[in-house]
Structure formats: structure tokens, C-alpha cells
Amino acid sequence: MPIVNLDSLSLWYQLTPGARPAAEPALLIQGLGMQATDWPAALVAGLAAERPVLVFDNRDSGLSQLFGRASVETLTMEDFPGAAPLCGPVAYGLSDMAADAWRLADALGLARVHLVGFSMGGMIAQVMAAMRPERTASLAGLMTSAGQPWIESAPEADAMMRRSILHEGKRGRLIDFMLAAEAVYAGPVPLPAEGTRRGAIRQALVRGHHPAGIWRQARAMRDAGERRGMLAGIAAPTLLLHGAEDPVIALSQAAEIKHILPGAAFIELARTGHILTEGNAGEIGARIGDFWRRATV
């Protein structure tokens, strides 16, 4: 099992050498509560045609180290953060999650990387780029925000995120909820057959499901606060790809990157919600590949 132990932290990771193993690698950072195995295989394969691809489980996700209990029965939907300031201390911050990824790169001897982050992972990637500009070859954010203190979500998506932190002791009900949440997040994006999706969710639950970890990660996101000034100082070539019908992070929030960082590329994906699938992986991978080739000329 590819686990790296970093003093007080252990992270699960997988490195795909790709077609050009000597090229600067891509470091992929996942979103809220998601696992490294949630990256579409077609996207990883497409990116690996350009350079090595490193994926990993964030702290409190998948097979990486937990920073508290996996599930807390007393959590309610109201405990999920929102626009209001947080109450009480956080277990860790977004900057800690960014430092985790740099420590992983250190452990694997990766001097410079191309950062690719989805949703919360895009926010982590932005902090990473600001933290270590000399090691950031480029920055690509997928369905992420542009440094606002909190995300603007459609009511249905907000409700699903709030439910995701709840303890659910019955596996069948949990799978039904995750199917429904996936459909809401996807928006108009076609999804695989329900049987295929149920099988994938069962595998993910066996590998690691930590609703209280989702809660701690969400609090880290909210605790990060206003970051638009930080984004304005990022020097690395930057790309944001965002779904035109994203119900989790408003399109207007992502599009603000055009004013915050005028040199950044912003691409709006038609008929796309807040999801990465085998179906849209080809277009997204091609967009990232084109961006990399322009960034490294």
C-alpha cells in the first residue's frame, strides 16, 4: 500500500509515471470528502500522456490519516459551515492541507509540479501556489472559487453538502443519499447507469467514508476566509475551468478570476455541473493539456 509517513502525518498516494516520466509531474488535489480514486481514470490517463501524475488522499479522506473520529452521531446539518463566521476552533486549516501536499512532494523528491485541483482541491492548490511560487510550474483549478470567503451554492446542493456530514448507520440509505447528491452536483452532465454508480459508491465506502472528516475539511475551507488578495499575487500560469451550470460553486465566483488575476485563463464549460466523470474527462484533460503546452513554451 503506497503510504508515506511524514512525521505526524500519513498520506496515501499513487504516482503514474506516464509517457514522459522525465517531465515535471502533475499533482492532483481532490475536493471536499473525495478520495484519490474518485479521479476519472480517463482524466488521469489523458494527463499521464503529458507527464507523470500524482494523486493522493487528503488528510481526513480515504486511506490517509484521520484527524478525529470518522463519524460523529451528534453532528447536524446546521453544523456544516456557511457564510457566518465559524464558532469554536478548527482541527486544521486549508494552509495545513496545502502544506501536506508540499510535504508529500518533498518526500517523493519532486522539485516543481503542475498543480491541478478540483473544488476544495482547487482552493488548496491556490494556497500551495502562493506558498511556494518557485515550485509551482502551473496552476489549474477545476470547478473552484476565486478566493471568496465562502462558496455560493444552489439550495439543493447546499442541503446535500450539509447532509454529507451526518452519521448514517444503514449502508443502503447512505448509498441512496450519495446517488441523489451526485445527481444534484452533476446538473446536466450525463451520469452512468445507476447500477454502475451504486457499485462505485460501494467500493468508495469500503475504502473509506468519514463524514466527520468532511465536516472538519469544510470548516478548514470556511476558516481560510478572504483569499482574493493572495490570488492576485500568484505568478504561475493559471487556468480555471468551470461548469456553466455548477450548483455547488457559482459560476460568477469562479469568473471573478478574470479581474483578480487578469493573466489567468478562464474557460466556461457548457452544460456542465460540479462533477468529473469518464464522460467529460476527455474535454477537461484536453483543455489542461493545451494549457500546459502554452505554459511551458
Side-chain angles (χ1 to χ4, degrees):
M1 186 185 302
I3 295 280
V4 62
N5 293 304
L6 308 169
D7 298 326
S8 59
L9 173 70
S10 61
L11 296 175
W12 184 97
Y13 73 93
Q14 185 171 62
L15 180 61
T16 302
R20 300 173 56 213
E24 289 180 329
L27 173 53
L28 277 55
I29 309 110
Q30 264 294 8
L32 179 67
M34 299 185 71
Q35 305 186 48
T37 48
D38 290 326
W39 290 106
L43 180 59
V44 173
L47 299 181
E50 302 277 345
R51 60 188 71 256
V53 174
L54 173 62
V55 301
F56 72 104
D57 287 330
N58 286 310
R59 60 167 69 193
D60 262 338
S61 290
L63 299 178
S64 286
Q65 183 174 325
L66 288 174
F67 278 71
R69 291 169 56 188
S71 185
V72 175
E73 294 186 13
T74 55
L75 283 177
T76 70
M77 291 175 65
E78 286 69 35
D79 289 313
F80 192 88
L86 289 176
C87 295
V90 296
Y92 47 81
L94 212 61
S95 60
D96 295 311
M97 301 182 78
D100 292 347
W102 280 128
R103 291 170 68 191
L104 174 61
D106 289 341
L108 299 178
L110 308 179
R112 266 169 52 98
V113 295
H114 293 265
L115 299 173
V116 180
F118 173 72
S119 194
M120 180 190 73
M123 303 174 199
I124 295 171
Q126 292 163 1
V127 176
M128 291 178 67
M131 186 183 288
R132 302 300 300 269
E134 77 284 0
R135 297 183 63 181
T136 304
S138 71
L139 168 64
L142 314 177
M143 292 76 168
T144 195
S145 68
Q148 295 87 357
W150 190 237
I151 58 175
E152 297 174 7
S153 306
E156 298 86 353
D158 180 71
M160 290 300 184
M161 287 188 288
R162 291 179 178 279
R163 284 183 60 188
S164 71
I165 70 173
L166 303 182
H167 172 80
E168 176 52 72
K170 295 186 177 180
R171 181 61 57 92
R173 289 177 58 178
L174 180 57
I175 292 173
D176 288 342
F177 160 69
M178 295 179 77
L179 283 170
E182 185 179 51
V184 168
Y185 301 152
V189 175
L191 293 173
E194 183 177 316
T196 300
R197 292 163 58 210
R198 282 186 180 276
I201 290 171
R202 287 191 191 96
Q203 290 181 349
L205 292 177
V206 169
R207 188 174 184 271
H209 175 63
H210 317 305
I214 298 173
W215 172 65
R216 290 187 289 270
Q217 289 182 354
R219 287 177 59 82
M221 286 171 53
R222 181 63 186 90
D223 182 65
E226 174 63 57
R227 303 180 309 285
R228 281 172 283 200
M230 178 199 75
L231 259 68
I234 289 177
T238 299
L239 165 70
L240 255 65
L241 291 170
H242 206 83
E245 301 181 51
D246 189 324
V248 175
I249 300 176
L251 175 64
S252 60
Q253 289 193 294
E256 197 175 334
I257 193 69
K258 294 183 287 186
H259 307 292
I260 297 169
L261 194 61
F266 178 76
I267 298 175
E268 179 180 330
L269 301 172
R271 294 193 54 76
T272 301
H274 192 87
I275 197 166
L276 301 175
T277 69
E278 298 297 341
N280 66 14
E283 178 185 5
I284 291 172
R287 299 277 195 178
I288 296 171
D290 289 344
F291 163 67
W292 281 345
R293 286 185 283 276
R294 291 194 303 272
T296 55
V297 169

